[in-house]
């Protein structure tokens, strides 16, 4: 965790604090880290494709590993697999993970897990992949946002320009919410409150939608291509980014940000 340091001049007169410094932390596993969420000043969780790790302030521990299992598909038997993509924490006892659960027969379904401070449990699985027609479904979740105690929203979509996905989740399950767009996917979600939620994505063009506490609405924006992530800071301050630039929301409209580093992943 970055820490601030204070410099003192020879006359012992305090001067301005230095900027926090980034510190290198060892990689938690062999696979690529897909997402990370801070739990407290000295604690965090990170997710790779099939493993969730816990940072204890000094190192990474394996919290949970999803093990593929054989499923009854003929000639030859298929393996179910997991592809976790996102983490979000409301507290140390209220953490969410989202991604997909599929088999090598060509089916993929959305998948959501929840941590209650004691154990991880499966909250939502669109369908057992081996129970669907082979190659019939390709649905993924790419991001999830904790909104409040026991409440989260997850977003994703279907491959081949299928409709986007929005799921409202509690520890007992998830339900589909109606997206305002007919194409997707949604790649990112962020909320400053349960009544101020932004989702972004697209397939070659910028796609942005907003939830105001009552309904989802598509919001027009400059087109900078597919948007990968969004951060909602306040109702009048949000940022969205993709491989071709940044957008900023000022409470009234989105505009393209022309300064600063790009791209954003």
């Amino acid at each position: 965790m970055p820490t601030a340091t204070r410099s003192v001049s020879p006359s012992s007169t305090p001067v301005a604090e230095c900027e926090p410094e980034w510190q290198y932390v060892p990689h938690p596993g062999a696979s690529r880290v897909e997402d990370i969420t801070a739990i407290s000043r000295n604690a965090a969780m990170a997710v790779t494709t099939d493993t969730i790790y816990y940072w204890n302030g000094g190192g990474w521990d394996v919290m949970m590993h999803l093990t593929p299992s054989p499923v009854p598909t003929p000639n030859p038997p298929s393996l179910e697999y997991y592809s976790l993509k996102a983490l979000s924490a409301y507290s140390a006892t209220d953490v969410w993970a989202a991604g997909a659960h599929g088999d090598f027969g060509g089916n993929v379904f959305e998948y959501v897990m929840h941590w209650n401070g004691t154990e991880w449990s499966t909250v939502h699985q669109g369908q057992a992949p081996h129970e669907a027609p082979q190659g019939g479904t390709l649905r993924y979740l790419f991001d999830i946002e904790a909104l409040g105690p026991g409440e989260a929203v997850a977003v994703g979509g279907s491959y081949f320009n299928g409709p986007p996905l929005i799921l409202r989740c509690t520890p007992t399950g998830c339900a589909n919410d109606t997206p305002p767009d007919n194409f997707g996917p949604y790649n990112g979600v962020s909320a400053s409150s349960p009544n101020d939620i932004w989702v972004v994505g697209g397939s070659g063009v910028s796609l942005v939608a907003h939830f105001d506490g009552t309904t989802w609405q598509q919001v027009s924006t400059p087109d900078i291509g597919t948007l990968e992530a969004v951060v909602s800071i306040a109702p009048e301050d949000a940022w969205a980014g993709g491989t071709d630039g940044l957008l900023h929301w000022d409470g009234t409209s989105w505009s393209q940000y022309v300064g600063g580093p790009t791209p954003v992943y």
Side-chain angles (χ1 to χ4, degrees), residues 36-194:
I36 190 168
T37 186
I39 307 298
S40 67
R41 181 175 176 83
N42 294 308
M45 293 184 190
V47 63
T48 60
T49 298
D50 56 7
T51 306
I52 297 176
Y53 298 86
Y54 179 78
W55 174 259
N56 58 22
W60 293 102
D61 297 320
V62 175
M63 291 188 74
M64 189 250 338
H65 178 74
L66 293 167
T67 303
S69 58
V71 297
T73 54
N75 302 320
S78 178
L79 285 177
E80 292 185 356
Y81 68 92
Y82 300 89
S83 179
L84 298 177
K85 291 293 185 182
L87 284 172
S88 184
Y90 183 75
S91 71
T93 59
D94 191 0
V95 188
W96 299 86
H101 178 208
D103 64 42
F104 292 101
N107 291 304
V108 181
F109 289 92
E110 65 274 19
Y111 190 72
V112 178
M113 301 187 72
H114 182 256
W115 169 258
N116 63 8
T118 302
E119 63 181 0
W120 284 97
S121 60
T122 298
V123 170
H124 177 84
Q125 178 177 295
Q127 186 177 354
H130 65 272
E131 295 177 357
Q134 292 299 288
T137 305
L138 293 171
R139 294 204 304 261
Y140 293 79
L141 293 175
F142 297 121
D143 202 7
I144 192 165
E145 176 84 337
L147 300 177
E151 182 183 5
V153 60
V155 299
S158 303
Y159 269 44
F160 310 116
N161 294 324
L165 292 175
I166 301 176
L167 296 182
R168 292 283 191 160
C169 299
T170 70
T172 59
C174 298
N176 285 292
D177 212 347
T178 303
D181 309 288
N182 293 322
F183 68 98
Y186 291 137
N187 297 319
V189 56
S190 183
S192 68
S193 75

